């Protein structure tokens, strides 16, 4: 049985989008001019309120996508509030530069806010994405309009109430709901100066086209992935199996950096696959009622995604060797059993394309150069991992992985203090860290004639 949890979320049409843009334009000059310390205090207050209202936010996320409340409160709330706190700390640290005046000109470089920005979010981590875009945008003095995904709008709407309580001035942060057509209005709006998008590569391309065809607004894109994990014969097997399991089973695989392609050295193949199978099967105990403390895995977000993933799995079963999973869990609902395919053909859909479900493909390798070629033979480049106890090899392989993130003896990890983003068709630009806030600024060079 599939059912709708809420059918009265307001969908922003053209007039609503224009109203939000006007409000953001009106609020921009005073927000940009506010004392940086005062701006930080407001963002800290907002962050405190998010933590204080973790229960209500967890209820809304559980209602939308069946997200387990324990995981949400233990992982997504700390990550969200950590991002707001981190960027609040940047409010007074956006330094510029100055250069030698040996030719008679003093050269000063300033960082200034861009103006009215917009964010379009994917469904799988609405609060975290709101923080990764909203916090650096506001800390740098911009105003922003944030559109949630039509599949998970409720927690973002609640943030609007908390923003008011925190004293964020009207128009500085604006939450709107709606599907693709609402996002398209933002992407093509003539008065929005930057758009930051998280979602699929196909939608990202449409947004880049709309931005170029309208006012050439700046575009950041956080897109899809098909991240490789390379497990060498000297790896700690328990560690590799643990991370390769949670890296693709966590959030039921609805994670952009899911470690969905594993390459294991031929000499440990059987031991690795047996242990991975046991771990995947054991993880099934984590599915269930989102308010149950033992539940730590959600279903797929909706019927559409369930049918899409099920179709890819059925096709995979015809062409590849299934080790475990490959079917639905429970007689109703959108739960998919964690699934392992081995020895996929290089052209198989399950091997090449992002599935966004709990599905991994495991291949074997014998030689480092050969596995690097195969791991990098993809248009994606979001993340990758190497498992080895040889530090030289681990660092060498990490440097050869063509992706914005390379993990050693772990995978599918993020950290707010360091840049995150994709090579190739996994994205444009970086979120998180200093790069994240700099992407919400323009540099201005001031040249002063010192001989005048
Ligand atoms: P999606 O591309 O279907 O939708 C994302 C957002 O775009 C939604 O808000 C949707 O309403 C909006 N949208 C749809 N069509 C649009 C258009 N023509 N113009 C403007 N906006 C439009 O993605 P999804 O299914 O919500 O999310 C899954 C995808 O997101 C996966 O590919 C995943 O890898 C990716 N993702 C990437 C990251 C990252 O940081 N790199 C993080 C999370 C998810």
């Amino acid at each position: 049985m599939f059912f709708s949890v809420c059918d009265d979320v307001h969908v922003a049409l053209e007039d609503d989008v224009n109203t939000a843009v006007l409000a953001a334009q009106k609020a921009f000059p005073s927000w940009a001019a506010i004392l940086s310390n005062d701006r930080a205090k407001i963002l800290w207050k907002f962050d405190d309120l998010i933590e204080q209202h973790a229960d209500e936010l967890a209820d809304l996320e559980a209602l939308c996508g069946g997200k387990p409340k324990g995981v949400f409160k233990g992982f997504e709330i700390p990550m969200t509030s950590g991002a707001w706190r981190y960027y609040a700390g940047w409010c007074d640290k956006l330094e510029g530069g100055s250069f030698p005046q040996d030719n008679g000109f003093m050269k000063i470089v300033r960082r200034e806010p861009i103006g009215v920005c917009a964010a379009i979010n994917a469904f799988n981590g609405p609060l975290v994405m709101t923080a990764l875009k909203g916090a650096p945008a506001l800390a740098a003095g911009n105003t922003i309009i944030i559109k949630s995904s039509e599949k998970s709008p409720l927690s973002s709407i609640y943030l609007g109430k908390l923003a008011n309580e925190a004293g964020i001035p009207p128009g500085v942060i604006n939450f709107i709901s709606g599907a693709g057509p609402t996002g398209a209005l933002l992407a093509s709006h003539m008065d929005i100066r930057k758009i930051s998008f998280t979602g699929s590569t196909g939608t990202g391309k449409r947004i880049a086209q709309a931005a170029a065809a309208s006012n050439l607004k700046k575009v950041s894109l956080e897109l899809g992935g098909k991240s490789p994990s390379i497990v060498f014969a000297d790896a700690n097997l328990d560690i590799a199996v643990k991370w390769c399991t949670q890296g693709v089973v966590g959030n039921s695989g609805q994670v952009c950096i899911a470690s969905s392609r594993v390459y294991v050295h031929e000499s440990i193949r059987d031991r690795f696959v047996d242990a991975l199978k046991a771990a995947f099967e054991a993880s099934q105990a984590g599915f269930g009622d989102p308010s149950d403390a033992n539940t730590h895995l959600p279903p797929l977000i909706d019927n559409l995604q369930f049918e899409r993933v099920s179709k890819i799995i059925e096709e995979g079963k015809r062409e590849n060797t299934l080790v475990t999973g490959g079917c639905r869990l429970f007689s109703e609902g959108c739960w998919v059993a964690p699934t392992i395919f081995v020895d996929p053909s290089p052209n198989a859909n399950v091997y090449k394309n992002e599935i966004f479900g709990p599905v991994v493909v495991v291949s074997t390798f014998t030689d480092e150069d050969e596995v690097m070629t195969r791991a990098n033979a993809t248009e994606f480049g979001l993340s990758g991992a190497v498992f080895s106890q040889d530090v030289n090899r681990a660092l060498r392989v990490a440097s050869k992985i063509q992706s914005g993130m390379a993990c050693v003896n772990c995978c599918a990890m993020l950290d707010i203090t360091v840049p995150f983003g994709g090579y190739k068709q996994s994205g444009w630009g970086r979120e998180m860290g200093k790069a994240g806030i700099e992407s919400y600024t323009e540099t201005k060079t001031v040249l002063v004639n010192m001989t005048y």
Side-chain angles (χ1 to χ4, degrees):
M1 182 177 68
F2 302 102
F3 52 90
S4 156
V5 292
C6 182
D7 61 6
D8 60 358
V9 171
H10 183 79
V11 171
L13 303 177
E14 191 165 2
D15 280 354
D16 303 302
V17 170
N18 288 338
T19 303
V21 173
L22 274 175
Q25 275 181 317
K26 195 167 159 222
F28 172 62
S30 48
W31 180 250
I34 195 172
L35 263 182
S36 53
N37 201 23
D38 290 344
R39 201 186 297 146
K41 272 192 216 154
I42 296 173
L43 299 188
W44 271 314
K45 175 92 191 289
F46 185 48
D47 172 56
D48 287 345
L49 287 169
I50 291 173
E51 283 185 337
Q52 285 161 24
H53 290 263
D55 279 327
E56 293 92 318
L57 291 162
D59 283 344
L60 293 170
E61 279 297 297
L63 192 63
C64 268
K67 208 166 251 182
K69 289 190 198 174
V71 175
F72 183 78
K73 282 162 65 180
F75 173 69
E76 287 193 35
I77 288 284
M79 195 170 166
T80 301
S81 72
W84 282 100
R85 194 167 303 133
Y86 174 78
Y87 281 116
W90 269 103
C91 285
D92 57 2
K93 295 177 189 66
L94 271 176
E95 84 282 13
S98 72
F99 293 81
Q101 7 175 329
D102 46 7
N103 60 351
F105 291 87
M106 179 189 281
K107 288 144 260 177
I108 302 168
V109 180
R110 292 163 45 89
R111 282 205 176 264
E112 299 185 348
I114 296 171
V116 175
C117 302
I120 300 178
N121 288 341
F123 73 81
N124 56 328
L127 281 199
V128 173
M129 285 172 215
T130 296
L132 296 183
K133 299 176 191 317
L138 264 54
N142 302 278
T143 54
I144 194 164
I145 300 137
I146 300 181
K147 189 194 88 61
S148 53
S149 163
E150 62 277 21
K151 300 183 183 200
S152 55
L154 300 183
S155 57
S156 303
I157 294 171
Y158 196 84
L159 285 184
K161 173 176 126 56
L162 299 185
N164 279 339
E165 274 177 44
I168 299 181
V172 170
I173 187 163
N174 308 272
F175 296 98
I176 63 172
S177 314
T182 307
L185 288 168
L186 294 171
S188 59
H189 204 288
M190 292 302 288
D191 295 321
I192 291 173
R193 296 294 163 196
K194 163 167 174 133
I195 193 146
S196 172
F197 171 74
T198 296
S200 60
T201 298
T203 309
K205 288 183 182 178
R206 283 193 284 281
I207 285 171
Q209 282 165 352
S214 53
N215 62 346
L216 212 57
K217 57 180 68 61
K218 296 175 193 326
V219 180
S220 307
L221 301 173
E222 293 290 346
L223 309 177
K226 187 78 179 174
S227 301
S229 289
I230 305 170
V231 184
F232 284 89
D234 67 346
N236 177 319
L237 207 65
D238 292 342
I239 293 287
V241 167
K242 180 184 128 192
W243 282 93
C244 289
T245 303
Q246 70 192 34
V248 76
V249 173
N251 208 29
S252 272
Q254 299 166 114
V255 178
C256 54
I257 45 176
S259 51
S260 51
R261 279 186 294 149
V262 173
Y263 299 89
V264 61
H265 193 269
E266 198 177 55
S267 62
I268 57 164
R269 187 242 198 223
D270 290 349
R271 276 194 300 139
F272 178 83
V273 171
D274 287 350
L276 195 70
K277 175 175 185 286
F280 267 49
E281 288 171 359
S283 72
Q284 289 188 15
F287 291 103
D289 179 341
S291 52
D292 187 324
N294 294 321
T295 301
H296 56 89
L297 294 170
L300 298 183
I301 185 72
D302 60 11
N303 192 16
L304 208 65
Q305 182 68 357
F306 176 81
E307 282 174 357
R308 195 187 141 266
V309 171
S310 301
K311 193 168 159 223
I312 296 172
I313 289 176
E314 285 310 313
E315 185 193 314
K317 277 155 66 174
R318 286 195 294 276
E319 297 169 356
N320 306 282
T321 308
L322 179 74
V323 171
T324 187
C327 57
R328 74 182 310 154
L329 280 178
F330 315 128
S331 55
E332 55 187 31
C334 298
W335 287 274
V336 168
T339 298
I340 304 175
F341 288 108
V342 288
D343 309 324
S345 109
N347 291 320
N349 198 6
V350 285
Y351 177 78
K352 279 184 12 188
N353 295 317
E354 185 182 43
I355 300 175
F356 229 53
V359 182
V360 71
V361 284
V362 181
S363 318
T364 51
F365 72 93
T366 50
D367 172 75
E368 184 181 309
D369 287 342
E370 166 235 327
V371 75
M372 291 317 306
T373 304
R374 285 162 61 204
N376 287 330
T378 169
E379 278 299 304
F380 293 112
L382 199 53
S383 190
V386 49
F387 291 86
S388 170
Q389 297 189 72
D390 174 342
V391 68
N392 291 338
R393 170 155 57 202
L395 292 179
R396 185 172 65 238
V397 169
S399 73
K400 287 186 196 164
I401 292 175
Q402 293 168 358
S403 59
M405 174 86 66
C407 301
V408 175
N409 294 322
C410 60
C411 59
M413 276 291 293
L414 301 170
D415 191 290
I416 187 64
T417 58
V418 283
F420 170 72
Y423 280 24
K424 305 191 220 173
Q425 294 195 37
S426 284
W428 282 354
R430 295 292 179 266
E431 286 187 335
M432 306 199 203
K434 188 180 183 187
I437 190 163
E438 286 184 346
S439 78
Y440 285 91
T441 63
E442 295 272 21
T443 57
K444 176 180 284 173
T445 299
V446 180
L447 285 181
V448 185
N449 182 351
M450 301 301 285
T451 58
Y452 178 67

